[in-house]
Amino acid sequence: MVGKPLSKPSSHLEVIVERDVFTLARTAADLVQAYMSTTGEPRLGLATGGSVADLYRNLVLRSRKGWLDFGGARIFLLDDYVGLGRSHPQRYANVVMTRLARHVDLDPHRLHAPDGDAGDLAEECSRYEDLVCRSEVGLQILGIGRNGHLAFNEPGSCLESRTRVVELAEVTRADNARYFPGPEDVPFLAITQGLATIRQAGHLVVLATGSSKARAVRAALQGPVTSDIPASAVQLHPRVTVLLDPSAAALTRFGPA
């Protein structure tokens, strides 16, 4: 499927290239802390995966030092696998509980995720879409997939898509296989917020690290807005901060000369 480019993006897009992944994580944590400390009931959207692991560790550290209070926060996850089982360690709700939520003062009932084990997946997608839209996420953390996916919106996803069940691309399944006993254990389906759903958040913060993301980052930030590169949809948002390490920025105009 050939994506139809959109013209005249409206984004105010700030790109910051940090010297390494640790500095990048601290900068991302600074943005989260600034948002949460100035908002009465923070509504924070979180991603999962390798790009945000150091960010989670930084947020836990700040919480333990008393710099960050999750007591009044609500957290919304971008996506989750279908059919893993509610106790599976790679279910994203469990990943976020293990890496972040149980280490901070967050009420577990205020951690929201799509339920990939719901009996009626269409109804679950509708429920989660309505919840996210009504809650008005203030700051959304995002990563970029190697093939340009955003959340689990794979290439070919409609730029105006909403929360739905999707089939994962083989490159996505291969990249995520490191979290499972073997490649055959990675689910084929997931529930994901749509590209239009994600763009309803007040501020998008995109993290990308490593040379394997360089082509996708260049296409997302400097190419046309097209369904072929779902992450290019961030160009349509009025407030975007992109945090890159030198390897991820290498092919862009923001990278080393």
Side-chain angles (χ1 to χ4, degrees):
M1 176 179 178
V2 177
K4 181 180 179 182
L6 298 183
S7 59
K8 299 181 181 178
S10 61
S11 173
H12 172 69
L13 193 149
E14 177 187 22
V15 178
I16 301 171
V17 181
E18 297 289 11
R19 64 177 180 270
D20 53 45
V21 296
F22 306 107
T23 308
L24 185 151
R26 287 196 297 270
T27 301
D30 288 343
L31 292 172
V32 172
Q33 183 173 337
Y35 164 68
M36 293 182 64
S37 64
T38 56
T39 306
E41 186 184 4
R43 297 172 299 278
L44 180 64
L46 290 182
T48 51
S51 297
V52 296
D54 287 319
L55 168 61
Y56 284 179
R57 283 190 282 268
N58 211 297
L59 295 177
V60 169
L61 178 62
R62 293 179 188 219
S63 176
R64 288 175 173 170
K65 290 184 175 182
W67 301 348
L68 198 52
D69 178 11
F70 282 86
R74 297 176 69 193
I75 289 178
F76 301 86
L77 302 192
L78 284 169
D79 45 26
D80 214 336
Y81 294 111
V82 167
L84 272 187
R86 290 186 172 88
S87 63
H88 196 287
Q90 290 307 316
R91 189 171 187 249
Y92 283 169
N94 296 334
V95 170
V96 174
M97 280 297 299
T98 300
R99 295 184 180 178
L100 177 66
R102 68 175 51 164
H103 305 289
V104 300
D105 56 337
L106 177 73
D107 180 347
H109 294 99
R110 296 170 76 87
L111 171 62
H112 306 281
D115 182 1
D117 292 285
D120 186 330
L121 291 176
E123 184 178 308
E124 173 60 11
C125 291
S126 178
R127 179 199 72 83
Y128 197 63
E129 171 75 18
D130 182 63
L131 175 65
V132 171
C133 291
R134 283 189 292 104
S135 300
E136 299 182 348
V137 172
L139 186 145
Q140 175 65 62
I141 302 294
L142 296 162
I144 294 179
R146 189 157 54 100
N147 63 353
H149 73 239
L150 197 71
F152 273 140
N153 293 281
E154 300 283 14
S157 294
C158 175
L159 294 167
E160 298 304 321
S161 56
R162 294 290 178 170
T163 302
R164 67 205 186 284
V165 175
V166 296
E167 182 175 350
L168 301 181
E170 281 307 306
V171 65
T172 300
R173 294 186 67 248
D175 286 347
N176 290 356
R178 66 189 187 274
Y179 301 115
F180 290 84
E184 68 279 1
D185 298 304
V186 182
F188 287 88
L189 300 176
I191 295 178
T192 185
Q193 289 186 36
L195 295 173
T197 315
I198 292 168
R199 294 202 309 275
Q200 290 191 187
H203 181 189
L204 305 183
V205 178
V206 184
L207 282 61
T209 61
S211 59
S212 66
K213 302 293 181 70
R215 290 184 182 278
V217 166
R218 178 178 62 185
L221 302 185
Q222 296 179 203
V225 179
T226 169
S227 60
D228 288 341
I229 304 292
S232 67
V234 302
Q235 294 183 45
L236 300 172
H237 195 278
R239 187 182 181 195
V240 184
T241 303
V242 182
L243 304 177
L244 307 173
D245 72 351
S247 295
L251 301 181
T252 71
R253 62 176 178 269
F254 311 104

